[in-house]
Amino acid sequence: MANFPTSPKPSGIRIGSHYQNVESRTASFNRQVASRGGHRWSFSLVYLPQLHEDFAEFFSFLHGLKGRFGVCTFTLPNYPTRSTITYQSGVSSIALTDARSNGQSVTVEGLAVGTVIKKGDFFRFANHTKTYMASSDVTVDSAMVTANSVEITFCPALVRQVTETSHITFGSEFQVAQKSDDLSVDFPSDQTLSTSVELIEVLDSSGGASVY
């Protein structure tokens, strides 16, 4: 899968978090809300005017996505992972201790004493493309390591079952597509080019197709 270009860099980014809820209100303003499930991240990117030679390859990449059809990997710039991940001797990944089919927490093993997980950091499970955000700080101590009871809480809730082989990787990577089939670029008389790009997270279904 292609990577979204890191050059030119956007001058501004807006991150969106989208849940699906249904709300109803009575005449007396009593309110009921139900969740329909599902969640997506979105990204609005704004680019300052660029010289043609600096912009042409980026323009070609966007055009090659064919609107909403193409899918790529987007790494969120200027959003470093704050967690400090260290492993026990002989371990090179964060493994789950048991399978989970739903919920907003997992228990993991393999982390060394002193590991710090910071809320607000993004991560993925190895068996699907949804990106999650850690929702609480964790500092791993010796009791947690002995009991294999390091719990990571996150949002949104799991969209697919995870197992002991669904290792966790921290990082601000997202599988995305463009929100629209239309692409436009400003090309004024000074022959600089600028544009804005709207991206939406897409997930792979069990059959491998990308779905919103």
Side-chain angles (χ1 to χ4, degrees), residues 27-163:
S28 58
F29 287 103
N30 290 323
R31 174 177 176 266
Q32 289 186 325
V33 179
S35 173
R36 298 175 60 187
H39 173 271
R40 297 293 184 271
W41 300 104
S42 69
F43 307 92
S44 301
L45 314 179
V46 177
Y47 292 86
L48 293 175
Q50 307 279 330
L51 296 175
H52 179 264
E53 55 266 30
D54 298 327
F55 194 83
E57 289 189 16
F58 180 59
F59 187 21
S60 176
F61 176 86
L62 295 177
H63 188 261
L65 289 176
K66 303 177 183 177
R68 293 174 293 174
F69 182 81
V71 177
C72 62
T73 299
F74 173 68
T75 300
L76 184 61
N78 302 320
Y79 198 101
T81 298
R82 300 183 302 139
S83 300
T84 304
I85 307 298
T86 54
Y87 301 107
Q88 298 174 29
S89 177
V91 176
S92 59
S93 61
I94 306 173
L96 277 64
T97 60
D98 57 1
R100 301 284 175 94
S101 58
N102 52 46
Q104 294 182 242
S105 68
V106 292
T107 303
V108 302
E109 60 185 358
L111 294 173
V113 173
T115 290
V116 176
I117 295 172
K118 301 294 290 184
K119 60 185 175 183
D121 278 356
F122 293 108
F123 68 88
R124 280 182 174 181
F125 296 96
N127 70 327
H128 62 287
T129 57
K130 176 63 183 169
T131 300
Y132 301 88
M133 176 183 282
S135 57
S136 60
D137 292 341
V138 178
T139 300
V140 178
D141 59 30
S142 58
M144 294 178 183
V145 171
T146 301
N148 283 335
S149 62
V150 180
E151 184 178 39
I152 299 176
T153 60
F154 53 85
C155 60
L158 285 170
V159 301
R160 183 175 296 179
Q161 183 181 27
V162 291
T163 68

Side-chain angles (χ1 to χ4, degrees), residues 4-13 44-50 55 58 62 74 77 186 193-197 199:
F4 191 87
T6 56
S7 179
K9 292 184 177 181
S11 61
I13 301 176
S44 301
L45 314 179
V46 177
Y47 292 86
L48 293 175
Q50 307 279 330
F55 194 83
F58 180 59
L62 295 177
F74 173 68
D186 295 325
L193 297 95
S194 61
T195 191
S196 59
V197 180
L199 303 174

